[in-house]
Amino acid sequence: MGRHGWDAGVRRWRLAALLGVSAAVVALLVTLVGALPGGGPATEGTSPDGDKVHGTPATPPGRPRPDVGWGFTHTQFSADEGSPRAVARVEDRLKDAGLPQNQHIMGWGADNPEPVPGRYDFAALDARVDFMRASGATPVITLCCAPDWMKGGEAGAGETDWSQAALETAPDPGHYDDFAALAATVAKRYPDVRHFIVWNEFKGFWNDAGHRWDHEGYTRMYNLVYRALKDVDEDIMVGGPYLVMDSLDPRDEHASAALNGPWGALDQRVLDAFAYWNRHKAGADFVVVDGSSYTRDDELLPDEFTATGKFTAVGEWVRRQTGGDLPLWWAEYYVEPADGDDHRHGWSETHRVAVQAAGMIAMAEGGATSGFYWNPQAEKGPECPGCLWTPTGRPDGGGELPMYGLVSRFAAAFPPGTRYDSVPVSRDDVRVLATDRTALVVNTRDRALTAKVDGRTVHLQAYEVTWLTR
């Protein structure tokens, strides 16, 4: 989908840059070595014992819950690398918050986990899991993406094509079993990871002939992965389908007549794909979606705050489809359109946090109990729009940024099982989410205003986000 760019193989690229050798040259050399007589498959840096337990996993406290609360996803750069002082600063802060953390098995900071069939390279993923353990997280793993040999590459070549087009390719149907086996290997390696999301955004599962999603192929692979994980441990929590809940202009030919609002209309092909998975899944412990408040054409209808109502509408629709039995997770959620380079630099941080807060309120009002902020962490530099902490490359890095304050406070105030209270608000341009203990209040205007919230007079600066004790 290209919504959040592609952060993949970063450690390999860093090494190539340090040596002054391009990734293309490295790949060529690997190919030539493999082609020499007696060269054999490239297995350097791999191990056959991928399912050996890594490190010292924490002992899970009984059977896990199917919901984990509000946290974030690690992307290409994160706090598992950098200055030890800066890394420790982030770890300590996260320990206090206990935020759930999500990591993919390939890409977004993780290398190819099985470059050769039966030979594993989990070094990068091990580092991310170690960080999640050290920072006291509830760890979540997204089972995406697939090694090259599962999607048309030569078995035994040991090569990885890190281009976006290659990585956004699904396993060939003949390798669905192999991907399920890889998922089981990951589960055995990290027995303290009790929550797994199957794949990411239906990447590669598109039916060109039918101009629709290949929901049959995804569901077949999902079911194999689900059963493989349950064979490892029946208590492992598994969820899908991680569909992008794309919205369109209501006049679009694929616009849904059943799910629409001021924010646009859902793509009916997405709803059809969800319905198929829901009917034919082998099982699920939670349901996962992702999406943006803006349309596929980057339109915020009719404005950035009203557009967040899409999250509520989608959540309510999904809950109806599943009978309300499965906890709803948002694996990703976006409220600010990106530029051509997938950067989001157009808004002030105050504006950005306010719209994010409105979006999180909308998700909670739609029945979501868990959500993962896609953390656009930078490797270095003083500016990091939307990031949770300052880059950890310097000893003074790892400092808290405004978005971290919102996500961590939201997670603490509104954990799974929260009962929400309805409170009177004197203005439509003020958003509120409240429990019997606290209220999150958001000014959606770019100017100061005064409002009555829960019987109290509240003065708010432009785009101010504040918390009230009840």
Side-chain angles (χ1 to χ4, degrees):
M1 302 301 294
R3 185 179 307 282
H4 42 64
W6 195 274
D7 303 326
V10 61
R11 290 175 176 80
R12 180 169 286 101
W13 287 338
R14 286 179 189 161
L15 178 60
L18 288 172
L19 295 175
V21 182
S22 72
V25 173
V26 172
L28 177 61
L29 290 174
V30 170
T31 301
L32 292 174
V33 170
L36 292 173
T43 60
E44 183 179 356
T46 67
S47 169
D49 58 351
D51 60 358
K52 180 180 179 181
V53 174
H54 167 69
T56 307
T59 302
R63 192 172 192 273
R65 292 173 52 106
D67 40 20
V68 295
W70 304 87
F72 66 93
T73 292
H74 292 279
T75 55
Q76 180 174 354
F77 305 109
S78 196
D80 60 318
E81 290 186 330
S83 161
R85 287 173 56 189
V87 169
R89 189 172 293 118
V90 178
E91 285 181 350
D92 290 344
R93 184 177 300 110
L94 290 172
K95 278 182 186 177
D96 293 337
L99 298 179
Q101 300 172 32
N102 175 38
Q103 173 63 44
H104 291 65
I105 63 169
M106 180 175 173
W108 299 287
D111 290 328
N112 188 336
E114 192 179 359
V116 176
R119 303 284 303 195
Y120 303 93
D121 178 5
F122 284 121
L125 186 56
D126 286 347
R128 286 285 166 93
V129 171
D130 287 342
F131 178 84
M132 291 193 284
R133 288 171 177 170
S135 56
T138 297
V140 177
I141 284 182
T142 294
L143 296 165
C144 183
C145 292
D148 292 44
W149 60 270
M150 293 187 190
K151 52 197 182 188
E154 181 183 351
E159 298 177 10
T160 301
D161 182 348
W162 288 108
S163 69
Q164 181 172 343
L167 286 163
E168 291 191 343
T169 299
D172 294 338
H175 286 294
Y176 289 169
D177 282 310
D178 293 315
F179 188 75
L182 173 59
T185 298
V186 172
K188 292 174 183 176
R189 187 172 185 84
Y190 312 114
D192 49 339
V193 178
R194 315 289 279 171
H195 299 83
F196 289 86
I197 301 172
V198 181
W199 209 242
N200 172 303
E201 294 186 337
F202 263 48
K203 284 179 167 60
F205 287 99
W206 179 256
N207 183 323
D208 286 319
H211 302 288
R212 63 170 178 83
W213 292 107
D214 177 18
H215 38 258
E216 299 92 345
Y218 170 81
T219 303
R220 179 184 164 200
M221 189 182 80
Y222 171 90
N223 287 342
L224 289 168
V225 173
Y226 176 88
R227 294 186 180 104
L229 292 173
K230 292 295 185 177
D231 284 345
V232 173
D233 187 339
E234 184 66 30
D235 287 343
I236 286 176
M237 301 280 107
V238 187
Y242 202 153
L243 270 164
V244 185
M245 307 304 281
D246 272 332
S247 52
L248 313 165
D249 185 295
R251 297 165 294 183
D252 189 283
E253 63 174 316
H254 297 296
S256 170
L259 184 51
N260 52 65
W263 41 266
L266 255 288
D267 188 325
Q268 184 60 46
R269 296 169 297 182
V270 174
L271 303 185
D272 293 343
F274 185 94
Y276 182 92
W277 171 84
N278 192 40
R279 288 194 306 270
H280 296 91
K281 64 185 183 298
D285 299 293
F286 53 91
V287 61
V288 187
V289 297
D290 96 339
S292 60
S293 56
Y294 44 89
T295 70
R296 196 157 57 209
D297 294 325
D298 290 343
E299 292 184 292
L300 288 161
L301 302 176
D303 60 74
E304 69 270 37
F305 286 99
T306 306
T308 62
K310 171 184 172 179
F311 296 133
T312 302
V314 169
E316 291 173 343
W317 182 88
V318 169
R319 299 277 287 160
R320 288 195 300 271
Q321 305 311 302
T322 61
D325 297 329
L326 298 179
L328 170 60
W329 293 23
W330 283 86
E332 305 174 42
Y333 51 92
Y334 302 91
V335 298
E336 180 182 4
D339 62 19
D341 295 321
D342 203 50
H343 295 150
R344 293 171 172 83
H345 296 168
W347 293 352
S348 69
E349 201 68 9
T350 303
H351 187 187
R352 181 175 293 114
V353 170
V355 187
Q356 280 285 339
M360 296 177 79
I361 289 173
M363 284 186 283
E365 291 177 337
T369 56
S370 302
F372 290 87
Y373 179 70
W374 191 271
N375 185 21
Q377 201 61 47
E379 182 180 23
K380 57 186 178 180
E383 295 186 6
C384 198
C387 296
L388 299 179
W389 53 78
T390 57
T392 53
R394 296 162 49 104
D396 61 352
E400 179 178 329
L401 291 173
M403 196 64 73
Y404 179 86
L406 170 65
V407 172
S408 59
R409 185 76 179 266
F410 195 98
F414 309 121
T418 294
R419 296 177 64 89
Y420 296 102
D421 287 354
S422 178
V423 299
V425 184
S426 65
R427 305 179 58 118
D428 292 338
D429 48 9
V430 173
R431 303 285 177 86
V432 178
L433 185 67
T435 69
D436 59 350
R437 294 173 174 267
T438 190
L440 169 60
V441 182
V442 182
N443 176 10
T444 67
R445 296 291 186 183
D446 60 354
R447 56 181 174 79
L449 56 78
T450 299
K452 282 274 191 179
V453 179
D454 200 21
R456 298 160 59 178
T457 299
V458 180
H459 302 286
L460 299 168
Q461 297 302 310
Y463 297 134
E464 183 176 353
V465 176
T466 192
W467 295 83
L468 303 178
T469 301
R470 301 187 69 205

